[in-house]
Amino acid sequence: MEDTAGSNPQSLGFTEKLKSWLSWSWTYVCFIWFGMVLIMIYVLWSPLKLQESLTSASVFLNTLTPKFYVALTGTSSLISGLILIFEWWYFRKYGTSFIEQVSVSHLRPLLGGVESSSTTGLFSSVNGEAEPRPSVSECKVWRNPLNLFRGAEYNRYTWVTGKEPLTYYDMNLSAQDHQTFFTGDTQQLKPEDAVMQKAWRERNPQARIRAAYQAIEMNHECAAAYVLLAEEEATTITEAERLFKKALTIAGKDINLLVYIKRRLAMCARKLGRIKEAVKMMRDLMKEFPLLGMLNIHENLLEALLELQAYADVQAVLAKYDDISLPKSATICYTSALLKARAVSDKFSPEAASRRGLSTAEMNAVEAIHRAVEFNPHVPKYLLEMKSLILPPEHILKRGDSEAVAYAFFHLQHWKRAEGALNLLHCTWEGTFRIIPYPLEKGHLFYPYPGCTETADRELLPSFHEVSVYPKKELPFFILFTAGLCSFTAILAMLTHQFPELMGVFAKAFFSTLFAPLGFFADKMESFMPSSFWHQLTRI
């Protein structure tokens, strides 16, 4: 066993050396192959009568009419244009070039290169060694604290527009959350709990609702079944609130169920205009379960307090949760910026500020905006209505476009209510990008902006939404190449059609210039090698 174990590293080392040698050799194999092709052409020039073939080919080409060249260049332009359209569509949808992706995935391993994927990359560590870039799986997806009700809100959007506001990936994450949150110990599942565990996994909404009624038939006190009906079958917030209250009376001592139901009841009260009641329910929930800070109930509380315009209470909540040791969110950062902007925005004037400089309060507001924009650079375009809003997803990626949509959907009204706040944001938010180092190898106030947000946001947000990307990606090489090829061949087709004789002269001059190095190389080879040597090679 020891000999076998000892031989494996040696064999692996030999394999790695062989791969590295092959990878290194590919750089020079192309040049060697090209040189051998030139030599073979020269050696076989006489035996294969290449000169006669070339002459006959040139005669044939000279007999072709300009219409042929117009058709040739026009067809080339059409094909390259179709490739350009497909590449552009693929880049807008998936954020990468199709040709580049296929080349990297299939051709690069054959050439001895290292496999490349969107989840790995190279960053320099402190000691100079290469360390892996964070993968997509490391971009943690969070439950949206303010997610809407499927039956009363998401489904109504679908009925009106015919579009699905939620992606399958997003709904699948919710199903996993519900299974983990409500079923508890899988070793001691009751029959109705087993039915509900299956119900959360159902892809069809009607199948989920039927399973919930089946669980209620098995046990009239199955609180999880009423939760599902409140979320998915209830078509109004009032009906959802009634079902949640029913679930609350039979929830028993299941902490997960109690917290979920009370939170949703508070959100129902907020949506029905009973703001103070909602604030009280949220405060009581946070006092009763102080260790459940991961559920981000304080973000629900902040939004409700902003609706009441209780800015002193908002500041008190921020003082507790906007701490350096606690995770940040767009709600925390932008609400802090809103409070500081509100204090100076009503009298703020860009012209006056450029003349006299910024006051201390204005500087604090601008710094707070820069901090918020660095955390999530996608939010300002939604707040300034430079991008259209959609319904927020059930899960968000912090610092991503999904979080920006969720924040702006609920907080845009609060920014509009603060006089001049959006004007101050409009004048100052782009200044953030002059502070952040570029390329984004390190952040200014936060960690470097993750490179995996685009991929995760495309999974969380519906396909009809144009995902915001930061930093803005440059167009891939193959899109630029096909665009240039399409334009060039189209110009050639037009010129050949308009000036056939002139283009014919130009083509002859071009090809004679192109093959001039080959003739020069052949002459040098003849002068360098004795004629008897070439004669013997031709005989072989």
Side-chain angles (χ1 to χ4, degrees):
M1 294 292 291
E2 291 178 1
D3 293 338
T4 305
S7 63
N8 284 339
Q10 295 179 358
S11 61
L12 288 175
F14 174 76
T15 305
E16 292 298 326
K17 288 181 180 178
L18 181 62
K19 285 183 178 180
S20 63
W21 182 82
L22 288 174
S23 177
W24 171 81
S25 64
W26 270 106
T27 308
Y28 304 97
V29 165
C30 296
F31 294 102
I32 296 172
W33 176 83
F34 182 70
M36 291 177 64
V37 168
L38 292 179
I39 293 173
M40 289 298 294
I41 290 175
Y42 181 80
V43 169
L44 299 175
W45 188 267
S46 297
L48 296 181
K49 299 180 179 180
L50 295 179
Q51 180 65 40
E52 296 177 6
S53 301
L54 187 61
T55 303
S56 61
S58 62
V59 171
F60 172 75
L61 292 175
N62 288 331
T63 58
L64 294 174
T65 63
K67 292 183 179 180
F68 170 79
Y69 294 104
V70 173
L72 178 64
T73 51
T75 305
S76 302
S77 177
L78 175 63
I79 294 174
S80 56
L82 293 175
I83 296 174
L84 172 64
I85 292 171
F86 174 76
E87 277 283 298
W88 178 256
W89 169 82
Y90 195 88
F91 174 72
R92 293 295 298 270
K93 186 174 180 63
Y94 300 105
T96 185
S97 165
F98 175 78
I99 300 176
E100 182 180 344
Q101 187 179 25
V102 171
S103 302
V104 170
S105 302
H106 300 286
L107 298 182
R108 191 172 180 181
L110 296 177
L111 298 178
V114 181
E115 286 194 30
S116 174
S117 66
S118 61
T119 61
T120 58
L122 290 179
F123 278 92
S124 296
S125 60
V126 177
N127 56 9
E129 297 179 355
E131 59 183 27
R133 183 176 179 171
S135 64
V136 175
S137 60
E138 292 175 2
C139 284
K140 184 176 180 180
V141 175
W142 298 74
R143 182 83 176 176
N144 183 3
L146 297 167
N147 66 301
L148 306 178
F149 295 87
R150 285 193 189 176
E153 293 173 304
Y154 287 121
N155 285 351
R156 291 174 65 185
Y157 177 84
T158 304
W159 297 336
V160 173
T161 64
K163 298 178 180 179
E164 290 289 343
L166 298 176
T167 64
Y168 175 68
Y169 175 72
D170 191 15
M171 292 189 290
N172 187 49
L173 289 176
S174 297
Q176 295 175 19
D177 292 342
H178 292 141
Q179 282 181 272
T180 306
F181 212 60
F182 297 144
T183 54
D185 188 6
T186 56
Q187 301 295 329
Q188 300 178 355
L189 282 180
K190 298 178 182 178
E192 63 272 16
D193 293 333
V195 172
M196 288 306 302
Q197 191 176 40
K198 182 181 178 182
W200 296 119
R201 293 197 301 266
E202 290 286 353
R203 186 170 183 176
N204 189 334
Q206 296 304 318
R208 291 194 293 269
I209 293 172
R210 285 195 299 269
Y213 278 115
Q214 182 184 350
I216 292 174
E217 289 177 2
M218 299 172 69
N219 182 0
H220 291 288
E221 295 188 352
C222 181
Y226 286 101
V227 168
L228 190 147
L229 294 177
E231 291 284 355
E232 305 215 18
E233 189 185 39
T235 56
T236 63
I237 300 298
T238 304
E239 186 180 354
E241 184 181 39
R242 179 184 62 80
L243 289 168
F244 275 123
K245 287 181 177 179
K246 172 68 175 177
L248 182 62
T249 59
I250 58 178
K253 297 182 180 179
D254 190 327
I255 294 179
N256 290 340
L257 265 175
L258 286 173
V259 171
Y260 186 90
I261 294 170
K262 288 183 177 181
R263 179 184 194 162
R264 295 303 261 177
L265 281 171
M267 294 175 69
C268 287
R270 162 68 183 90
K271 292 175 185 293
L272 294 172
R274 306 195 305 269
I275 315 297
K276 292 183 178 180
E277 179 185 344
V279 167
K280 183 179 184 305
M281 294 172 70
M282 293 172 191
R283 289 188 186 278
D284 292 342
L285 192 57
M286 293 167 66
K287 289 179 182 178
E288 189 176 358
F289 304 101
L291 300 179
L292 294 179
M294 67 184 73
L295 298 178
N296 297 321
I297 302 174
H298 58 276
E299 295 194 12
N300 299 82
L301 179 60
L302 284 172
E303 197 281 325
L305 289 172
L306 285 172
E307 181 64 21
L308 288 176
Q309 302 184 45
Y311 297 111
D313 293 336
V314 172
Q315 186 61 56
V317 175
L318 286 177
K320 181 178 180 181
Y321 290 97
D322 192 7
D323 186 84
I324 193 171
S325 62
L326 297 177
K328 299 294 181 291
S329 66
T331 301
I332 293 291
C333 294
Y334 277 90
T335 302
S336 177
L338 173 59
L339 292 189
K340 293 181 179 178
R342 176 181 166 272
V344 298
S345 59
D346 57 336
K347 299 178 181 178
F348 177 78
S349 170
E351 294 79 11
S354 62
R355 288 196 305 268
R356 58 173 170 77
L358 294 175
S359 65
T360 303
E362 289 173 338
M363 182 63 71
N364 291 336
V366 171
E367 289 177 353
I369 290 175
H370 287 176
R371 170 178 177 259
V373 174
E374 181 183 352
F375 182 83
N376 193 316
H378 310 284
V379 172
K381 287 189 177 181
Y382 294 108
L383 292 180
L384 297 172
E385 299 182 88
M386 299 165 65
K387 284 196 69 176
S388 58
L389 272 173
I390 60 171
L391 295 186
E394 293 184 336
H395 289 80
I396 59 173
L397 181 69
K398 287 193 175 182
R399 308 187 74 176
D401 190 35
S402 51
E403 183 190 35
V405 169
Y407 172 80
F409 184 85
F410 293 99
H411 289 262
L412 175 58
Q413 56 181 330
H414 307 315
W415 279 82
K416 286 183 175 181
R417 189 180 294 123
E419 183 182 355
L422 288 175
N423 178 48
L424 179 59
L425 177 68
H426 174 73
C427 295
T428 58
W429 75 278
E430 291 182 327
T432 309
F433 305 116
R434 293 192 290 269
I435 302 173
I436 303 174
Y438 189 86
L440 305 178
E441 297 171 351
K442 60 180 181 178
H444 179 61
L445 298 174
F446 299 99
Y447 287 110
Y449 191 82
C452 57
T453 57
E454 180 187 357
T455 304
D457 279 332
R458 289 186 188 278
E459 295 287 340
L460 290 171
L461 296 169
S463 58
F464 58 82
H465 173 71
E466 183 181 353
V467 175
S468 176
V469 179
Y470 175 79
K472 199 68 176 178
K473 283 190 173 182
E474 297 181 357
L475 288 176
F477 165 76
F478 286 104
I479 290 183
L480 300 175
F481 175 77
T482 51
L485 182 62
C486 177
S487 304
F488 178 71
T489 51
I491 292 172
L492 280 182
M494 183 181 66
L495 292 176
T496 306
H497 182 265
Q498 294 292 330
F499 311 102
E501 295 180 0
L502 182 62
M503 290 301 294
V505 173
F506 173 78
K508 290 178 181 178
F510 172 77
F511 283 110
S512 62
T513 306
L514 182 65
F515 289 109
L518 183 60
F520 176 79
F521 175 77
D523 294 339
K524 288 295 182 181
M525 290 293 290
E526 284 183 356
S527 62
F528 179 73
M529 293 290 184
S531 58
S532 59
F533 176 77
W534 293 116
H535 180 68
Q536 294 297 327
L537 282 179
T538 54
R539 291 185 62 184
I540 293 174

